[in-house]
Amino acid sequence: ISGQLCGDTFEISPKVSSQYVSGLIFALSLLENDTTLELSSKLLGGQYVDITTSVMSDFCVNAEKHNTCYKIKGAQKYTVPKNKEVNVEGDWSQAAFFMCAAAINGCITLKDMNMESAQGDMKIISLLKNFGADVTINGNDLTVKKSNFST
């Protein structure tokens, strides 16, 4: 494949990974012309694309979701609004490894995790609790300790 993307209508199957959709939305927002990104099937991991478009809007770039497509205006520029603090949310999928290790044999406290996160991997909290791990939430801090797992 060669050439340069230009504004048009693109169709993608999101069955492989929502990361392809997020990546295209990022790229398409920088094209000169408006673009439509049509999804040929149900988007798996759609919450991650929602997180992507939310962060993009923090930087003054927008992609509008309409059922199974995204409308992306061309010639957008990523900028940080003056006096705006941008916080990068912790990655629940990476935190899960450490949480599991602590539940098996140790203790860990994760600071400033977003307990309202849209990340699907946040489900690790309920999974560890269901297996009997000692999980304590104090504001946005989360502690996981070794416990007796049920079998």
Side-chain angles (χ1 to χ4, degrees):
I1 298 175
S2 64
Q4 184 175 344
L5 287 172
C6 55
D8 200 349
T9 299
F10 296 90
E11 184 176 331
I12 186 172
S13 172
K15 286 185 177 181
V16 177
S17 172
S18 62
Q19 290 175 331
Y20 292 115
V21 176
S22 288
L24 266 174
I25 291 172
F26 266 120
L28 296 175
S29 67
L30 299 174
L31 300 180
E32 289 298 317
N33 298 322
D34 295 354
T35 307
T36 300
L37 179 61
E38 295 181 359
L39 308 179
S40 62
S41 61
K42 183 179 178 188
L43 178 60
L44 303 174
Q47 69 273 22
Y48 292 103
V49 176
D50 293 342
I51 292 168
T52 298
T53 57
S54 175
V55 171
M56 288 172 61
S57 70
D58 287 343
F59 291 90
C60 304
V61 174
N62 296 296
E64 297 176 14
K65 184 178 180 182
H66 299 277
N67 296 319
T68 61
C69 73
Y70 290 86
K71 302 279 186 183
I72 303 131
K73 290 210 176 281
Q76 297 188 64
K77 304 283 186 223
Y78 287 88
T79 58
V80 179
K82 288 183 178 181
N83 301 322
K84 178 166 181 149
E85 183 176 303
V86 177
N87 293 310
V88 177
E89 181 175 319
D91 185 338
W92 282 98
S93 63
Q94 291 301 310
F97 294 109
F98 297 99
M99 293 168 65
C100 290
I104 292 168
N105 190 23
C107 178
I108 190 170
T109 298
L110 303 170
K111 302 267 186 195
D112 297 322
M113 296 299 288
N114 181 359
M115 298 301 160
E116 304 286 322
S117 178
Q119 295 179 54
D121 294 318
M122 189 177 163
K123 185 173 177 78
I124 190 64
I125 294 172
S126 61
L127 291 172
L128 288 174
K129 284 181 178 180
N130 288 341
F131 275 100
D134 182 358
V135 179
T136 306
I137 298 171
N138 183 10
N140 282 330
D141 296 345
L142 172 77
T143 301
V144 179
K145 295 179 186 175
K146 178 182 177 180
S147 186
N148 296 323
F149 283 103
S150 57
T151 55

